[in-house]
Amino acid sequence: METFDLRAEADVQTYGLGIKEVWEVPAENHKPGFVQHTLGWPLQSGPLDTTFGGSFLYHMNSQGQNLILVGFVVGLDYENPYLSPYREFQRWKHHPAVMKHLEGGECISYGARALNEGGYHAIPELTFPGGALLGCSAGFLNSVKIKGSHTAIKVGTCSTCSTDLIAHSLRPPSRLLHPPATVPIHHCNVHTFCSLV
C-alpha cells in the first residue's frame, strides 16, 4: 500500500471483528432457509450509542446435517476498553430469541476474522505494477448487505476477464487470428469492481 501509494485517493478504512460458529442441531429446531439479521443489542442500548455491530443466524442443510450458522460483528473503533466482542457474542446467543434455535445442539466449528468495513469510498487503487488487490484484501465487503463472498468472487471473475483481455492485446497479430475462447466482457462489470483495463 505504501510503496505504490494505493490509499492516496481513498477514505480511511474502518474495521470490525467477525465471530462465527457452526452448530449442528436437532431436526425439531431446524428450519431450512431461515435467515435472521440483527443490529443494536447487546452493543447498543440507544440510538446515540457509538459502538456498532450486528449478527446473523442462518439455518442450512449440508450433507444431511441440520446446521445453523451464527455470527456476530463488532466495529473495532469501540471506546469501552472493557468491551469483549466474544463475551457480547455469548450474551447475544443467550437471548431467548436466539437460544431457542441452538437448544439441544452442539458447536461443531468456530472462527473469527477482521473485516474491512469502510465501504466504496475506502477502496484503494486496485492495481500496481505486477499485481492487483482483489476481494476482501481490497475492501469489497458490503457490510450493509452482508455480502463478502459474493463481491470477492465477482472481483476475481472481473480480474480474470481483464487479465485475459490484456494478455490478448499483448500477443503478436498473427496469434490473434484464432484467440482462445474467453469469458465475454459483458459478463463482467469491470468499471464497477475493477480498474484493470
Side-chain angles (χ1 to χ4, degrees):
M1 293 286 202
E2 290 178 21
T3 301
F4 296 107
D5 200 23
L6 301 180
R7 297 212 55 85
E9 302 294 321
D11 286 352
V12 175
Q13 186 61 265
T14 60
Y15 299 91
L17 176 67
I19 305 168
K20 180 179 176 179
E21 294 179 349
V22 178
W23 285 65
E24 187 170 10
V25 298
E28 60 267 15
N29 287 3
H30 196 251
K31 302 173 192 167
F34 180 86
V35 172
Q36 174 181 291
H37 295 136
T38 68
L39 292 171
W41 188 88
L43 297 172
Q44 296 170 307
S45 57
L48 300 178
D49 287 352
T50 57
T51 303
F52 71 92
S55 68
F56 62 85
L57 188 148
Y58 306 139
H59 288 239
M60 64 177 282
N61 287 325
S62 178
Q63 301 175 349
Q65 292 179 294
N66 298 322
L67 301 179
I68 297 179
L69 288 66
V70 292
F72 195 75
V73 176
V74 178
L76 287 180
D77 59 350
Y78 54 85
E79 297 170 356
N80 179 356
Y82 300 105
L83 184 122
S84 165
Y86 181 74
R87 189 171 289 132
E88 296 302 312
F89 178 45
Q90 297 307 316
R91 193 158 69 124
W92 172 77
K93 286 191 324 188
H94 284 85
H95 188 284
V98 177
M99 191 167 47
K100 69 181 181 183
H101 295 275
L102 304 176
E103 286 178 339
E106 69 172 313
C107 179
I108 60 172
S109 69
Y110 55 89
R113 67 179 289 254
L115 306 169
N116 41 10
E117 301 180 323
Y120 178 78
H121 296 290
I123 295 173
E125 182 66 34
L126 299 174
T127 60
F128 52 91
L133 297 174
L134 304 174
C136 293
S137 65
F140 282 108
L141 169 69
N142 184 336
S143 58
V144 175
K145 291 187 174 183
I146 312 177
K147 301 258 186 228
S149 300
H150 300 74
T151 53
I153 290 168
K154 183 66 174 179
V155 169
T157 303
C158 289
S159 66
T160 301
C161 293
S162 299
T163 304
D164 194 40
L165 287 173
I166 292 167
H168 286 306
S169 69
L170 298 176
R171 291 185 178 157
S174 62
R175 300 218 30 218
L176 288 176
L177 294 176
H178 303 288
T182 63
V183 178
I185 192 62
H186 66 270
H187 290 290
C188 299
N189 192 343
V190 176
H191 299 293
T192 302
F193 286 100
C194 305
S195 60
L196 298 173
V197 177

